[in-house]
Amino acid sequence: MPSTTVNGVSLYYEVEGDGPPLLLIAGLGSSSLAWAAAVPRLREGYTVITVDNRGTGRSEVPPGPYAVDDLADDTAALVDHLGRGPVAAVGWSLGGSVLQSMLIRHARVLSKAVLLNAFPSYTAIQDGWLDAGLALRRAGVDPVAIGMHSMPWAFTPRLLSDHTVAAAQAELARKDPYPTTLAGFEAQAAGLRRYDSRPDLPSAQTPTLVLAGAEDVLTPVSQSVEIAELMPNATLQVLPRGGHGMLLEYLDDTLAAITAYVGNGAP
């Protein structure tokens, strides 16, 4: 199992495929398994690098909180360790915050970036959503029930109205062989809700696609617009279908947008 120690923290990672390097950074409380549906497709055209952010999966869970800049420093150090930079990178949700920090602080390791369902800073609604999720986890509620509670924030009525499909999606939480601990989730959450990229985004020069789904209610399109307007070399693309979990619900459309921007012959 490949792992390395960066910034005093042991990180688990995987490298698959052949082609230009493409780094995938997962969201809040998610390990690299968040990309399980995408990796088999992407590795046909890229050398795909996935990582369990500190606090998740098979990576170490040091005491928190974890500042977003800490996670960005970890990821940049991993790219250096692998000798793969500069890489194209996709950051989803919290991963988008990590990637924004990398664009600001570690641009040398990046060739292109895709901010997927990202946001520049937390809103009052996002704070309330996070408070509810933390309360459920601290109360020891079953992970599947927590997943069901969160699904309306991630998926559209297309999936939610099919209860068989929705239940199967929620059950994936029970099948996770390396579930995120409460300590890891709390530590990531504490740093995420304090992060504000807006003052520094105008300094980020790396070509960046800001990719959103028109149906995203957790990180609405307005937040992607705000990011794109602040970045000098950003392109905004809003897909007509899909919410915060559009990589899962609309995999083909989402990967097509990503690979069209990153280029180099992926599917």
Side-chain angles (χ1 to χ4, degrees), residues 107-195:
R108 62 180 177 76
V109 305
L110 299 170
S111 57
K112 284 187 175 181
V114 179
L115 298 174
L116 175 62
N117 304 123
F119 46 90
S121 64
Y122 250 33
T123 67
I125 291 296
Q126 288 161 339
D127 268 319
W129 168 83
L130 183 54
D131 286 340
L134 286 166
L136 291 172
R137 287 168 173 82
R138 289 165 179 163
V141 173
D142 182 82
V144 172
I146 294 174
M148 289 180 176
H149 179 268
S150 294
M151 286 176 70
W153 290 99
F155 299 110
T156 73
R158 172 178 177 264
L159 184 148
L160 295 172
S161 61
D162 187 332
H163 285 197
T164 300
V165 172
Q169 179 66 41
E171 278 291 333
L172 294 177
R174 203 187 312 279
K175 298 176 182 178
D176 187 347
Y178 308 101
T180 297
T181 63
L182 174 60
F185 189 92
E186 287 181 326
Q188 284 194 352
L192 179 62
R193 73 193 322 164
R194 291 200 297 263
Y195 186 66

Side-chain angles (χ1 to χ4, degrees), residues 21-212:
L22 179 62
L23 171 69
L24 306 178
I25 311 169
L28 174 62
S30 297
S31 70
S32 54
L33 291 177
W35 302 99
V39 168
R41 298 271 296 276
L42 292 171
R43 68 189 177 201
E44 295 177 15
Y46 299 99
T47 299
V48 180
I49 305 165
T50 54
V51 57
D52 292 351
N53 297 324
R54 67 163 74 185
T56 68
R58 283 172 273 188
S59 289
E60 192 175 350
V61 187
Y66 310 153
V68 166
D69 286 345
D70 293 337
L71 300 177
D73 292 350
D74 291 348
T75 310
L78 175 64
V79 174
D80 285 338
H81 168 76
L82 295 174
R84 297 280 185 171
V87 300
V90 183
W92 181 10
S93 195
L94 170 139
S97 297
V98 173
L99 186 49
Q100 287 174 76
S101 178
M102 292 176 69
L103 287 163
I104 294 163
R105 295 158 52 82
H106 301 287
R108 62 180 177 76
V109 305
L110 299 170
S111 57
K112 284 187 175 181
V114 179
L115 298 174
L116 175 62
N117 304 123
F119 46 90
S121 64
Y122 250 33
T123 67
I125 291 296
Q126 288 161 339
D127 268 319
W129 168 83
L130 183 54
D131 286 340
L134 286 166
L136 291 172
R137 287 168 173 82
R138 289 165 179 163
V141 173
D142 182 82
V144 172
I146 294 174
M148 289 180 176
H149 179 268
S150 294
M151 286 176 70
W153 290 99
F155 299 110
T156 73
R158 172 178 177 264
L159 184 148
L160 295 172
S161 61
D162 187 332
H163 285 197
T164 300
V165 172
Q169 179 66 41
E171 278 291 333
L172 294 177
R174 203 187 312 279
K175 298 176 182 178
D176 187 347
Y178 308 101
T180 297
T181 63
L182 174 60
F185 189 92
E186 287 181 326
Q188 284 194 352
L192 179 62
R193 73 193 322 164
R194 291 200 297 263
Y195 186 66
D196 187 345
S197 64
R198 292 174 295 182
D200 297 313
L201 278 180
S203 69
Q205 299 291 324
T206 305
T208 298
L209 174 65
V210 184
L211 181 60

